Amino acid sequence: MIGIDIGGANTKIVTDDEVIIRYCPLWKEAPIGEMLSGIEGEAAVVMSGELADCFYSKAEGIRFIVDAVLDVLPDARFYGTDGRFHTEPVPQLAAANWLASADFLKDHYPDGILLDFGSTTADIVPLSPFRELPGRTDLSRLRAGMLVYCGMLRTPVASLLQAVTIAGEETPLSTEYFAQAADAHLVLGHITPREYTVPAPDGKEATRELSLARLARSVCADTDEIGEQGAVAIAEAFWEAEKTLFRKSLERFGSKPVLAAGIGAELIHQTFGGINLNQEPGSSAEALPAYAVREVAIRDGF
Amino acid sequence: MIGIDIGGANTKIVTDDEVIIRYCPLWKEAPIGEMLSGIEGEAAVVMSGELADCFYSKAEGIRFIVDAVLDVLPDARFYGTDGRFHTEPVPQLAAANWLASADFLKDHYPDGILLDFGSTTADIVPLSPFRELPGRTDLSRLRAGMLVYCGMLRTPVASLLQAVTIAGEETPLSTEYFAQAADAHLVLGHITPREYTVPAPDGKEATRELSLARLARSVCADTDEIGEQGAVAIAEAFWEAEKTLFRKSLERFGSKPVLAAGIGAELIHQTFGGINLNQEPGSSAEALPAYAVREVAIRDGF
């Protein structure tokens, strides 16, 4: 059994002995068949890539993704927000990846709250009562604080920060796409240049020096105009803004141990305590929905 | 005498009898020579395109732009933030376009405050005392409220709005680049599809229906999930956020008549009163810095 999670920016594949994360932006040319070539057998699939804006509607996105997967894996089944597997492109397939994670984790950590911090978004899901979760759309999860739209890599810095204090001076940010989350987290030492796995806003390399320059540019400055300290202050304010969003959401669900997952699991664990699912045996917390949908398919049968 | 304003996204050219605005994104391949081909004679030039992130620094950007212009127009001179013309790529050439506008307008409207609302940014410049203006960088103008980084067309909706009230429900926005200012202003009737002169975030056409879809996508929804009314509510909240930024900046400079310029001059004039420079004889308010630097060069000589 293979687990597959097709997001807008990344496709994740979990097999018996492997976890594969591929940067595969659907808004470019949607090369899903290519991504899955060489993979065979039964597959349990979740998606969130139907929201990519190459599609006119979610229905079109779901149809496209289901067709592309079935072309390569005719025995694939698709997990929906109703908690069931489907073979057809039904509306319930939109953004069910977080529910697959919860469906798998609920038996193991019934008192916990999942915080899956990915490249682009964070899913925050209280695992009980599980019966209250199914049926939720992205829109209703945004409103409920269960979909927090910020990530470790792709979030534009100017989308979370309107202004930042640099050397005591309140400084508004440019709204241009000059710097992203990966620049802030690289500068703060939360990721290495190797873990900067997405294109930089300026198309240049992932180095500390260039990330500092991108952060400085977000206040229309060269690094030497605000100093390295100024650029670091922008990175710190960005991470502070992300933590504030997480804290506010977590508070809505009461005090529960945080289950950290996603590429930012370690950072979430350091910040909020609880359990780092990356360090639990037999889990693949960096690709949790792909892992979880496979586990659910094995547990329940298709 | 020709006036030229080389921005990051647009190049504007004013001759004796013509105003040309060309979408020419410097972050793509910087085809400045191409943009200026066929133009001859003395030219007065201002720039802000040195901030484009294809350049490693403003100094590199200034050098590139000066060289590209001199290749085609060897007699060109470049206006700087010191209020003087230069023939070399000196640091003062960075973002002096707003000062050229003020330098030209100060004699005609000494009591006014310029609000030049462009595709990407707004310049807010009190015209007296003029001696306090020279020397200001983008960074210091951001801090002073003189560079307000929002525009009529290119501003990502999610960079100004963190959340919006839709049908009474507080709804956070996706930080993805799903919708831009042009979508909001098209839906609100402030621009026509013809005036939507920049690429759409999804690469699709400029129609009311598709702009509504892009706005809806910014809360992870299809239009039918929030209704046309919901998408319009996002557009209204965005324009409200822009107006609030302008109001706050204008208040910092006391009560002065607003001189509206830029592609959004009409909208600014309707909102804040004062004088619409687009309706003044002999002015070219949609390309004000290009017009102004030409006037200053004629007035003062090079």
Side-chain angles (χ1 to χ4, degrees):
Chain A
M1 178 72 69
I2 303 150
I4 301 174
D5 177 15
I6 299 179
N10 292 288
T11 286
K12 295 167 188 172
I13 302 164
V14 172
T15 67
D16 286 345
D17 47 22
E18 221 180 353
V19 176
I20 305 163
I21 301 182
R22 285 181 181 155
Y23 181 68
C24 166
L26 291 194
W27 56 89
K28 291 269 169 66
E29 61 275 317
I32 294 174
E34 215 173 284
M35 284 296 103
L36 300 179
S37 73
I39 290 169
E40 282 177 5
E42 286 190 313
V45 183
V46 281
M47 68 178 73
S48 59
E50 79 290 339
L51 187 64
D53 65 6
C54 54
F55 306 119
Y56 281 91
S57 65
K58 295 181 187 180
E60 186 199 336
I62 292 169
R63 212 177 313 118
F64 179 92
I65 292 170
V66 167
D67 287 351
V69 171
L70 289 178
D71 258 4
V72 184
L73 298 164
D75 295 329
R77 305 227 169 172
F78 301 83
Y79 185 85
T81 50
D82 54 358
R84 297 192 180 156
F85 284 98
H86 303 265
T87 55
E88 302 283 322
V90 294
Q92 288 85 346
L93 301 190
N97 51 354
W98 62 278
L99 186 66
S101 299
D103 196 347
F104 161 60
L105 291 171
K106 71 180 196 299
D107 302 328
H108 306 280
Y109 310 95
D111 301 325
I113 183 162
L114 170 65
L115 202 174
D116 185 338
F117 189 25
S119 68
T120 309
T121 60
D123 294 313
I124 296 186
V125 192
L127 296 180
S128 76
F130 182 76
R131 67 175 184 284
E132 290 185 5
L133 296 177
R136 287 181 180 267
T137 62
D138 274 351
L139 177 63
S140 71
R141 289 197 305 131
L142 275 176
R143 287 171 169 165
M146 293 172 61
L147 171 57
V148 179
Y149 225 106
C150 67
M152 276 292 277
L153 301 179
R154 291 185 56 256
T155 310
V157 167
S159 68
L160 292 196
L161 286 186
Q162 266 56 60
V164 59
T165 304
I166 298 177
E169 278 207 78
E170 178 84 351
T171 309
L173 268 76
S174 160
T175 56
E176 209 73 61
Y177 177 47
F178 279 147
Q180 65 184 351
D183 295 307
H185 289 295
L186 179 64
V187 157
L188 297 175
H190 299 159
I191 61 168
T192 63
R194 238 185 120 80
E195 290 166 324
Y196 194 121
T197 54
V198 295
D202 55 7
K204 299 194 168 73
E205 305 96 273
T207 66
R208 181 177 163 83
E209 193 189 340
L210 287 172
S211 283
L212 289 168
R214 288 187 280 266
L215 290 162
R217 194 175 290 121
S218 71
V219 292
C220 301
D222 284 342
T223 308
D224 57 13
E225 289 181 76
I226 57 170
E228 177 172 333
Q229 233 178 338
V232 171
I234 299 170
E236 283 169 347
F238 178 79
W239 172 224
E240 205 51 59
E242 290 195 306
K243 281 189 288 188
T244 300
L245 288 174
F246 295 153
R247 226 175 263 126
K248 278 189 187 163
S249 277
L250 290 170
E251 279 165 9
R252 289 167 79 158
F253 301 106
S255 177
K256 294 165 186 264
V258 170
L259 309 172
I263 57 170
E266 179 62 31
L267 189 56
I268 292 299
H269 179 59
Q270 284 168 14
T271 310
F272 296 104
I275 295 165
N276 181 351
L277 292 179
N278 259 339
Q279 289 169 353
E280 296 295 287
S283 169
S284 298
E286 294 211 354
L288 182 58
Y291 180 83
V293 74
R294 179 176 173 277
E295 290 292 317
V296 170
I298 292 170
R299 182 191 73 197
D300 298 352
F302 267 169
Chain B
M1 177 73 67
I2 304 150
I4 301 174
D5 177 14
I6 299 179
N10 291 288
T11 286
K12 295 167 188 172
I13 302 164
V14 173
T15 67
D16 285 345
D17 46 22
E18 221 180 353
V19 176
I20 306 164
I21 301 182
R22 286 181 179 153
Y23 181 68
C24 165
L26 290 195
W27 56 90
K28 291 268 169 65
E29 60 274 318
I32 293 173
E34 215 173 283
M35 284 297 103
L36 300 179
S37 73
I39 290 170
E40 282 177 5
E42 286 190 313
V45 183
V46 281
M47 68 178 73
S48 59
E50 79 290 338
L51 188 64
D53 65 7
C54 54
F55 307 120
Y56 281 91
S57 65
K58 295 182 186 178
E60 186 199 335
I62 291 169
R63 213 176 312 119
F64 179 91
I65 293 171
V66 167
D67 286 351
V69 171
L70 289 178
D71 258 4
V72 185
L73 297 164
D75 295 329
R77 305 229 169 170
F78 301 84
Y79 185 86
T81 49
D82 54 358
R84 300 195 178 153
F85 284 97
H86 302 265
T87 54
E88 302 283 321
V90 294
Q92 287 86 345
L93 301 189
N97 52 353
W98 61 278
L99 186 67
S101 299
D103 196 348
F104 161 60
L105 291 171
K106 71 180 197 298
D107 301 328
H108 306 280
Y109 309 95
D111 301 326
I113 182 161
L114 170 64
L115 202 174
D116 185 338
F117 189 25
S119 68
T120 309
T121 59
D123 293 312
I124 296 186
V125 191
L127 296 180
S128 75
F130 182 75
R131 67 176 183 283
E132 289 185 5
L133 297 176
R136 287 181 181 268
T137 62
D138 274 351
L139 176 64
S140 71
R141 289 197 305 130
L142 275 175
R143 287 172 169 165
M146 293 173 61
L147 170 57
V148 179
Y149 224 106
C150 68
M152 276 292 278
L153 301 178
R154 292 185 56 257
T155 311
V157 167
S159 68
L160 292 196
L161 286 186
Q162 267 57 61
V164 58
T165 304
I166 298 176
E169 278 206 79
E170 177 84 350
T171 309
L173 268 75
S174 160
T175 56
E176 209 74 61
Y177 177 48
F178 279 147
Q180 65 184 350
D183 295 306
H185 288 295
L186 179 65
V187 157
L188 297 175
H190 299 160
I191 61 168
T192 63
R194 239 185 119 81
E195 290 167 323
Y196 194 122
T197 53
V198 294
D202 56 6
K204 298 195 168 73
E205 305 95 274
T207 66
R208 181 177 164 82
E209 194 189 339
L210 287 172
S211 283
L212 289 168
R214 287 187 280 266
L215 290 163
R217 194 175 290 121
S218 71
V219 292
C220 301
D222 284 342
T223 308
D224 57 14
E225 289 181 76
I226 57 170
E228 177 171 333
Q229 234 178 337
V232 170
I234 299 171
E236 284 169 346
F238 178 79
W239 172 224
E240 205 50 60
E242 289 195 307
K243 280 189 290 189
T244 300
L245 288 174
F246 295 153
R247 227 174 263 125
K248 278 189 188 164
S249 276
L250 290 171
E251 279 166 9
R252 289 167 78 158
F253 301 105
S255 177
K256 295 166 187 261
V258 170
L259 310 172
I263 58 171
E266 179 62 31
L267 189 56
I268 291 299
H269 179 60
Q270 284 167 16
T271 310
F272 296 104
I275 295 165
N276 181 350
L277 292 180
N278 259 339
Q279 289 169 355
E280 296 296 287
S283 170
S284 298
E286 294 211 354
L288 182 58
Y291 179 83
V293 74
R294 179 177 173 277
E295 290 292 317
V296 171
I298 292 170
R299 183 191 71 197
D300 298 351
F302 267 168

